[in-house]
Each structure stands twice: as structure tokens, then as C-alpha cells.
Amino acid sequence: MANTSHGIGGLTFDPKKRTRPPELNVLAALVLIIVAFEVLGQLVIGDSFLFNTRDNVDTLFNEQRLQIIILQVAIVGIIALGVTQVIITGGIDLSSGSIVGVTAMVTMSFAQVAVVNGNPNPKAIFGAEWMDLPVIVPLLVGLACGLFAGMVNGLLIAYTKIPPFIATLGMMVAARGAAKWWSKGNPISFPTDSYAAIGKGMMPVAIFVVLAVLFHLIMTQTKYGKHCYAIGSNEAAARMSGINVAGHKVLVYTIAGALAALAAIVLSSKNLTAQAGMGVMYELDAIAMAVIGGVSLQGGRGSIIGTCLGALIFGVIISGFTFLKLDAYYQEMVKGVIIVGAVVLDQWRQTKKGRG
Amino acid sequence: MSEFILETRGLTKHYGGVHALTGANFALAPGEHVAIMGDNGAGKSTFVRQLTGVEKPTSGQIIFDGVEHTFQSPIEAREAGIETVFQTLALADDLDVPSNLFLGREKIRFNLGPFSILDKKAMREATLAALVKTGVKIPNLMNTIRNMSGGQRQCVAIARTAAFKSKLVIMDEPTAALGVQETAQVENIIRTLKGAGEPLILISHNMRQVFDLVDRIVVFRRGRMVANLRKEETDGQDVVAYITGAKTGIEYEGAA
């Protein structure tokens, strides 16, 4: 029936008619995977995945395993927070792993101690006057490194209009080269105690959680977040609405670079050393976490919460495979299958919605 | 205050050697609804693109609300008070209704540059008011545009014009892709605008719709304005004759 009356106004906010947030599906998948490993564990090796089975420890859950799961995804998770924002704007960042490499090398050089066990630092990069610096120096140097690399990505993408895939691929190769050039391929070690404290124990998890909360708020409550979704959803409309699309892209890639740098700082601090090969494949793991968490590669859809759940799924699967004593090679194969599967699922969901 | 809300004098646009629009003298009185008709390539859309700042005219003047403007971008035209509903929808599919209405000019609570905190509540309330004003019915404001029908999306695009204090609304074939019922809904909105005294320029191919809704019909042919007809003094056949060139009218002379 065509309605002929006017000025009635719309039905407005009906919580029942809200579409189910896609994060719920990801959460369901996470629970399902944990249950699957639990069942497989009981059947195949007669051990529990989730619950404590040792007599000398008095806890309900296998806390050690849970800690390892979150600890091993926390650092790549920090990168994934930036990658999520990039993908939401409709881009991609392949350079984050290499930015981790070069930032770790440069940062570690500024965090070295002068004397190791009474002898001069055998891995010294600079002279003694550049050693035993306060922790703020390597932190700022590292962040500047990531900000610079990210900004170059952003400027290339926003102003030369080359596809993000190509721009960040170039940065991936170049930054890896820089990481190797920095110390002629030698590892850099022996950081100050204050630098080593950054990634000690569960600190990486704490840092990841703080950053995740911060960026969740930024993506949901600020103009920046709204514009990320708008650009990824319909770039032409965003431009016509007066959003500074080029400037926004530079900002997004710069933030992603800075987050990769933070991950490098935490990682090198945790490992007490930096190597040129650090962070290889991290960019793909980070993208995988985002995609598993429901971030659409077409842009416009996804959330920080989704990515955090995706990171947990990622960690649970790796841990589960170790728990089932399966070969490490299977892990990588399955990782590949999961990434492709998540994208196929996303595409399929979209076409289904489009028809309905 | 001039007697017209919008006036163009000798508005001309050439794309290289193609004379898409030549010497358009157009005037719109406050509260008036005017339809622009003409064949494809007659210069209708070119005319609108000059008014909305999407393109810059080769020559000629645009006087809007008593001031001469040279719009550098659609944003400037919009800030001056010209709201346009484009043929291709300028909506972000993955955002909800308030976000789309306020895209690029969000209401904020704290100004922190790009990280300014959004005032979601104020935007939701303003959206509601705009929907009431235009009579648009949307099942749920907080749903993304993606899940809405073509008509609902078009209504959101139109409601955007009402959310801000626009002085002139331009609609470029707003019902071209809509079904019967959705078209009726959009037409109702146009009537509501008429009732509220908002001036409107409507580009349409739909003769019935034009005769239903507007006060005056302006016909373009081959880049020129060939007719300026009051609705009461013309009929469909007459308009078609002008559109096809079977009849060539007197040059357009100011307002009707």
C-alpha cells in the first residue's frame, strides 16, 4: 500500500530490530574451536585442552596454556589493531612485518648497555656515549621509525594513487633491506634493564589490552573511526561529503606503522635481542587475525573487538595443534586454509545479504 | 534580499569543443518548485553540476540568496545552502542512518581534531527530526543502509537535505531506479517540502510526476533552455514538443 499521508516520521529505535553484531558469530566460532580441541584431546590423547589435569596445581583451568595462548598472540595482535583500521578503510598493509624488523634493530641499538659482565658490550652498535640511555630514548626512536615508514606508505597511497598492495609491498621489501643493512646482518643484544622490563612476563598482554581498548573507543566513538568506515564503504561518497580522504589515509597508515613499531619494541624487549629477520610473516598473521575476526577485505566492515576475537582463535588453533602433538608443518597449512576460508565466508555472507 | 532565491545569468559550460550548456538564464522564486526536463544530453545534468559546484562553469554568473557565488567544490555549495540528491547515491552502505546524514559534518562533543568525540545522541535526535520533517519512514535508524531498499535509501539521501538548514534542494532523477510504491514515498516527501516552503529543482523524465509536483517546467534542448512553462498553461504534448524540438519556443525571459 502506498502511503499517502505525509509528515508521520519513521519508526525509530527498536532494539529488537537491530541486526545481530557479526562479532557474535566470531565468538561462537571461538567457542566451537575450543570445544573441538577439548573433544579431540579427550578422544586422541586422553588429556584436557582447557581444564587442569595436573595434581600439583590447584586450579580449574589449565592456566599455563591459556597464558601462553594470549601471550603468543599479543604482539602480533598489536600489529593487527593497525591492520584492522587499514583494512576497514579499504586498504591493505603488507609492510608491518618488515617495519617490525627494522624498528627492532634501530630501537635496540639505542637501548644497549655499555658493560656486560665486566666486559664491553660485544654487540655494540654505537660508542659508549650512546649507551645506557634512559628508556624514553629507544622508545621515541622506535616510534619515530614506525611513524615515518607508515607515513611514507600513506603518502604514496593517498597522493600517487597506487594501490595499497603495491605501496606496502615496496615498503615490505625496502624496510627488510634496511633492517639487514643496519648492522650488516648482525644481531643486536644486551638491552638496559628498564628496556627489558617493557616486554617482561605478561607485559605484552597488558600493552595489547590497553591499546585494544583505546582503539576500540577511537573506532566507535570518534570522527576518525566514522571516517574510516565511510571511506572503506564508499570512497566517492566520503569525498563528496567533504571528508579529507587523502589526509585520512595518511593518518591511518601512519597509525598502523606506529603500532607495528610498538610491537617491535615489545618483541625485542621480550627477546632481549633484535635480529634482521624479526617479524617475517607477521603482516600476514595480522591480516589473518583481522579477517578471521570479521573484518571485510572490501572495506567498511569489521571492528577491533572482532580482531581481538580473531587473534584468540588464531592463538587457540596454534596452541591446540601443539597440544594434539601435531607436526608444526600442519599448523601453517591449516593457517592458510583458515585465512582463505574466512574470506570465502565473508564473500558468501555478502552475496546472501545482497539477494535478501 | 533579491526576489529570487537562485538566479543564473548566461551560464555556459563547454567541454573542449562540446557546448554542453549555452547561456542559461534561470530564476527560481522562494518556495517555488521547478522541474527541468529534456532528452539525455540536453544539458540538464550539466546545468545542475554547475549549480552544485561539481564543475566550474566556463562563463556566466550564479546568484544564490542574493550573493554571487563561484563554488569550488560540492562542499562549498552545500555550505551555502544548496543540498543535492544525486542520481548516483552518495551514501556509505556500511553506516547507519544518522552517520550517513551527518557524514563529513558530524556533531562532536569534544574537539580533538580528527579524534573528536562524536555526539551520537544529538545526531540521532536531529536525524529523527529530519525524518519527521520529511515524512520518511525507516524501520530502524541504527541499521546500516546496506539492508535497506532502494526507496528507503533514496529517502535517507533526501532526509539529509532536511537535516541541515538548506535553502534550496536539487534532486537529480530521484525516482529513476525506484518501484511504484517507493516513488510514491519520494513524491510525498517532495510535497512535504512544498508545504514547508522549501524551493526545489527537480530533474525528471516522468511527465506525470512533473505535472503532479511542480509549479513550472523548464525544458532544455541541445544545451539551451528552450521553454519556460507554467504548469497551468501547458500540457504533456506541449512539453514533449519542446523536448523533441518539434516546437521551438521563445527564448527564456527571466522569471515566469
Short mmCIF file of all heavy atoms in Angstrom, two decimals, chain A residues 224-261:
data_model
loop_
_atom_site.label_atom_id
_atom_site.label_comp_id
_atom_site.label_asym_id
_atom_site.label_seq_id
_atom_site.Cartn_x
_atom_site.Cartn_y
_atom_site.Cartn_z
N TYR A 224 37.34 10.10 13.56
CA TYR A 224 38.35 9.30 12.86
C TYR A 224 37.78 7.92 12.50
O TYR A 224 37.86 7.48 11.36
CB TYR A 224 39.59 9.16 13.74
CG TYR A 224 40.59 8.14 13.26
CD1 TYR A 224 41.58 8.48 12.35
CD2 TYR A 224 40.56 6.83 13.73
CE1 TYR A 224 42.49 7.55 11.90
CE2 TYR A 224 41.47 5.88 13.30
CZ TYR A 224 42.44 6.25 12.38
OH TYR A 224 43.33 5.31 11.95
N GLY A 225 37.19 7.26 13.49
CA GLY A 225 36.64 5.93 13.25
C GLY A 225 35.53 5.97 12.22
O GLY A 225 35.49 5.16 11.29
N LYS A 226 34.61 6.92 12.39
CA LYS A 226 33.48 7.04 11.46
C LYS A 226 33.98 7.22 10.03
O LYS A 226 33.46 6.61 9.09
CB LYS A 226 32.63 8.23 11.91
CG LYS A 226 31.22 8.26 11.35
CD LYS A 226 30.43 7.04 11.71
CE LYS A 226 29.75 7.12 13.05
NZ LYS A 226 29.09 5.86 13.42
N HIS A 227 35.01 8.04 9.88
CA HIS A 227 35.52 8.30 8.53
C HIS A 227 36.24 7.08 7.96
O HIS A 227 36.21 6.87 6.74
CB HIS A 227 36.44 9.52 8.55
CG HIS A 227 35.69 10.80 8.77
ND1 HIS A 227 36.29 12.03 8.83
CD2 HIS A 227 34.36 11.03 8.96
CE1 HIS A 227 35.38 12.96 9.04
NE2 HIS A 227 34.21 12.38 9.14
N CYS A 228 36.86 6.28 8.82
CA CYS A 228 37.46 5.03 8.34
C CYS A 228 36.41 4.16 7.67
O CYS A 228 36.59 3.68 6.55
CB CYS A 228 38.07 4.23 9.51
SG CYS A 228 39.67 4.83 10.05
N TYR A 229 35.29 3.97 8.37
CA TYR A 229 34.22 3.14 7.83
C TYR A 229 33.62 3.77 6.57
O TYR A 229 33.32 3.07 5.60
CB TYR A 229 33.11 2.93 8.88
CG TYR A 229 33.49 1.98 9.97
CD1 TYR A 229 33.92 2.44 11.21
CD2 TYR A 229 33.45 0.60 9.78
CE1 TYR A 229 34.30 1.58 12.22
CE2 TYR A 229 33.81 -0.28 10.79
CZ TYR A 229 34.23 0.21 12.01
OH TYR A 229 34.60 -0.65 12.99
N ALA A 230 33.46 5.08 6.59
CA ALA A 230 32.85 5.76 5.45
C ALA A 230 33.71 5.60 4.20
O ALA A 230 33.21 5.30 3.12
CB ALA A 230 32.64 7.24 5.76
N ILE A 231 35.03 5.78 4.35
CA ILE A 231 35.92 5.68 3.20
C ILE A 231 35.95 4.25 2.66
O ILE A 231 35.90 4.02 1.46
CB ILE A 231 37.34 6.16 3.58
CG1 ILE A 231 37.32 7.67 3.84
CG2 ILE A 231 38.35 5.83 2.49
CD1 ILE A 231 38.60 8.21 4.44
N GLY A 232 35.99 3.28 3.57
CA GLY A 232 36.01 1.89 3.13
C GLY A 232 34.70 1.47 2.50
O GLY A 232 34.65 0.58 1.65
N SER A 233 33.64 2.12 2.91
CA SER A 233 32.31 1.74 2.44
C SER A 233 32.02 2.35 1.07
O SER A 233 31.51 1.68 0.17
CB SER A 233 31.29 2.24 3.46
OG SER A 233 30.03 1.78 3.14
N ASN A 234 32.32 3.62 0.90
CA ASN A 234 32.04 4.31 -0.36
C ASN A 234 32.93 5.54 -0.43
O ASN A 234 32.59 6.60 0.08
CB ASN A 234 30.56 4.70 -0.43
CG ASN A 234 30.17 5.25 -1.78
OD1 ASN A 234 31.02 5.62 -2.59
ND2 ASN A 234 28.88 5.29 -2.04
N GLU A 235 34.09 5.35 -1.06
CA GLU A 235 35.09 6.41 -1.05
C GLU A 235 34.58 7.67 -1.76
O GLU A 235 34.81 8.79 -1.30
CB GLU A 235 36.38 5.90 -1.69
CG GLU A 235 37.57 6.79 -1.36
CD GLU A 235 38.89 6.22 -1.83
OE1 GLU A 235 39.09 4.99 -1.72
OE2 GLU A 235 39.72 7.00 -2.32
N ALA A 236 33.86 7.46 -2.86
CA ALA A 236 33.35 8.61 -3.62
C ALA A 236 32.36 9.41 -2.78
O ALA A 236 32.41 10.64 -2.74
CB ALA A 236 32.69 8.13 -4.91
N ALA A 237 31.50 8.69 -2.06
CA ALA A 237 30.52 9.38 -1.20
C ALA A 237 31.23 10.12 -0.09
O ALA A 237 30.84 11.24 0.26
CB ALA A 237 29.54 8.36 -0.62
N ALA A 238 32.27 9.51 0.46
CA ALA A 238 33.01 10.16 1.54
C ALA A 238 33.62 11.46 1.02
O ALA A 238 33.57 12.49 1.70
CB ALA A 238 34.10 9.23 2.06
N ARG A 239 34.17 11.40 -0.19
CA ARG A 239 34.79 12.60 -0.74
C ARG A 239 33.74 13.67 -1.00
O ARG A 239 33.93 14.84 -0.68
CB ARG A 239 35.53 12.24 -2.04
CG ARG A 239 36.53 13.29 -2.46
CD ARG A 239 37.40 12.84 -3.62
NE ARG A 239 38.35 11.83 -3.22
CZ ARG A 239 38.41 10.61 -3.75
NH1 ARG A 239 37.56 10.26 -4.69
NH2 ARG A 239 39.31 9.75 -3.36
N MET A 240 32.60 13.26 -1.56
CA MET A 240 31.53 14.22 -1.85
C MET A 240 30.97 14.83 -0.59
O MET A 240 30.45 15.94 -0.61
CB MET A 240 30.41 13.52 -2.62
CG MET A 240 30.51 13.71 -4.12
SD MET A 240 28.91 13.56 -4.87
CE MET A 240 28.85 11.84 -5.30
N SER A 241 31.07 14.09 0.53
CA SER A 241 30.54 14.62 1.79
C SER A 241 31.53 15.55 2.46
O SER A 241 31.26 16.02 3.56
CB SER A 241 30.21 13.46 2.73
OG SER A 241 29.34 12.57 2.10
N GLY A 242 32.67 15.76 1.84
CA GLY A 242 33.60 16.73 2.39
C GLY A 242 34.66 16.15 3.30
O GLY A 242 35.36 16.88 3.97
N ILE A 243 34.77 14.81 3.35
CA ILE A 243 35.83 14.21 4.15
C ILE A 243 37.15 14.32 3.40
O ILE A 243 37.21 14.07 2.19
CB ILE A 243 35.50 12.72 4.44
CG1 ILE A 243 34.25 12.61 5.31
CG2 ILE A 243 36.68 12.02 5.10
CD1 ILE A 243 33.75 11.20 5.50
N ASN A 244 38.20 14.70 4.11
CA ASN A 244 39.52 14.78 3.51
C ASN A 244 40.09 13.36 3.41
O ASN A 244 40.77 12.87 4.31
CB ASN A 244 40.41 15.67 4.37
CG ASN A 244 41.81 15.77 3.83
OD1 ASN A 244 42.16 15.15 2.82
ND2 ASN A 244 42.63 16.56 4.49
N VAL A 245 39.77 12.70 2.29
CA VAL A 245 40.09 11.28 2.15
C VAL A 245 41.60 11.05 2.13
O VAL A 245 42.12 10.17 2.82
CB VAL A 245 39.44 10.70 0.88
CG1 VAL A 245 39.87 9.27 0.66
CG2 VAL A 245 37.91 10.76 1.00
N ALA A 246 42.33 11.86 1.38
CA ALA A 246 43.78 11.66 1.28
C ALA A 246 44.44 11.84 2.64
O ALA A 246 45.23 11.00 3.08
CB ALA A 246 44.36 12.66 0.27
N GLY A 247 44.08 12.91 3.34
CA GLY A 247 44.66 13.17 4.65
C GLY A 247 44.35 12.05 5.63
O GLY A 247 45.20 11.62 6.42
N HIS A 248 43.13 11.53 5.55
CA HIS A 248 42.72 10.47 6.45
C HIS A 248 43.54 9.21 6.20
O HIS A 248 43.95 8.53 7.14
CB HIS A 248 41.23 10.18 6.28
CG HIS A 248 40.69 9.29 7.34
ND1 HIS A 248 40.22 9.77 8.54
CD2 HIS A 248 40.57 7.94 7.42
CE1 HIS A 248 39.84 8.76 9.30
NE2 HIS A 248 40.04 7.64 8.63
N LYS A 249 43.77 8.91 4.93
CA LYS A 249 44.55 7.70 4.61
C LYS A 249 45.97 7.81 5.15
O LYS A 249 46.50 6.83 5.69
CB LYS A 249 44.58 7.50 3.09
CG LYS A 249 43.30 6.89 2.55
CD LYS A 249 43.45 6.55 1.09
CE LYS A 249 42.18 5.91 0.57
NZ LYS A 249 42.25 5.71 -0.88
N VAL A 250 46.58 8.99 5.01
CA VAL A 250 47.93 9.17 5.54
C VAL A 250 47.92 8.88 7.04
O VAL A 250 48.78 8.16 7.56
CB VAL A 250 48.43 10.60 5.27
CG1 VAL A 250 49.78 10.83 5.94
CG2 VAL A 250 48.55 10.85 3.77
N LEU A 251 46.91 9.40 7.73
CA LEU A 251 46.80 9.21 9.18
C LEU A 251 46.65 7.73 9.53
O LEU A 251 47.32 7.22 10.44
CB LEU A 251 45.59 10.01 9.69
CG LEU A 251 45.43 10.14 11.20
CD1 LEU A 251 46.66 10.76 11.82
CD2 LEU A 251 44.20 10.97 11.53
N VAL A 252 45.80 7.02 8.78
CA VAL A 252 45.55 5.61 9.08
C VAL A 252 46.83 4.78 8.92
O VAL A 252 47.18 3.99 9.80
CB VAL A 252 44.43 5.06 8.17
CG1 VAL A 252 44.34 3.54 8.30
CG2 VAL A 252 43.11 5.69 8.51
N TYR A 253 47.55 4.99 7.82
CA TYR A 253 48.76 4.19 7.60
C TYR A 253 49.86 4.58 8.59
O TYR A 253 50.66 3.75 9.00
CB TYR A 253 49.25 4.34 6.15
CG TYR A 253 48.42 3.51 5.20
CD1 TYR A 253 47.32 4.05 4.54
CD2 TYR A 253 48.72 2.17 4.97
CE1 TYR A 253 46.55 3.30 3.69
CE2 TYR A 253 47.96 1.40 4.11
CZ TYR A 253 46.87 1.97 3.47
OH TYR A 253 46.10 1.21 2.64
N THR A 254 49.88 5.85 8.99
CA THR A 254 50.87 6.29 9.97
C THR A 254 50.61 5.61 11.31
O THR A 254 51.54 5.14 11.97
CB THR A 254 50.81 7.83 10.13
OG1 THR A 254 50.96 8.42 8.84
CG2 THR A 254 51.92 8.32 11.02
N ILE A 255 49.34 5.54 11.70
CA ILE A 255 48.99 4.87 12.95
C ILE A 255 49.36 3.38 12.88
O ILE A 255 49.92 2.82 13.82
CB ILE A 255 47.49 5.06 13.27
CG1 ILE A 255 47.25 6.50 13.69
CG2 ILE A 255 47.03 4.10 14.34
CD1 ILE A 255 45.79 6.85 13.91
N ALA A 256 49.09 2.76 11.72
CA ALA A 256 49.43 1.34 11.55
C ALA A 256 50.94 1.15 11.69
O ALA A 256 51.40 0.19 12.32
CB ALA A 256 48.94 0.84 10.19
N GLY A 257 51.73 2.07 11.13
CA GLY A 257 53.18 1.99 11.24
C GLY A 257 53.62 2.13 12.69
O GLY A 257 54.49 1.39 13.17
N ALA A 258 53.00 3.06 13.41
CA ALA A 258 53.36 3.27 14.81
C ALA A 258 53.03 2.04 15.65
O ALA A 258 53.81 1.66 16.53
CB ALA A 258 52.60 4.48 15.35
N LEU A 259 51.92 1.38 15.34
CA LEU A 259 51.55 0.17 16.10
C LEU A 259 52.53 -0.96 15.80
O LEU A 259 52.90 -1.73 16.70
CB LEU A 259 50.11 -0.24 15.79
CG LEU A 259 49.06 0.61 16.51
CD1 LEU A 259 47.68 0.41 15.92
CD2 LEU A 259 49.05 0.30 17.99
N ALA A 260 52.97 -1.07 14.54
CA ALA A 260 53.98 -2.07 14.19
C ALA A 260 55.26 -1.79 14.97
O ALA A 260 55.92 -2.72 15.47
CB ALA A 260 54.24 -2.07 12.69
N ALA A 261 55.61 -0.51 15.10
CA ALA A 261 56.81 -0.14 15.85
C ALA A 261 56.67 -0.52 17.32
O ALA A 261 57.61 -1.03 17.93
CB ALA A 261 57.07 1.36 15.71
#
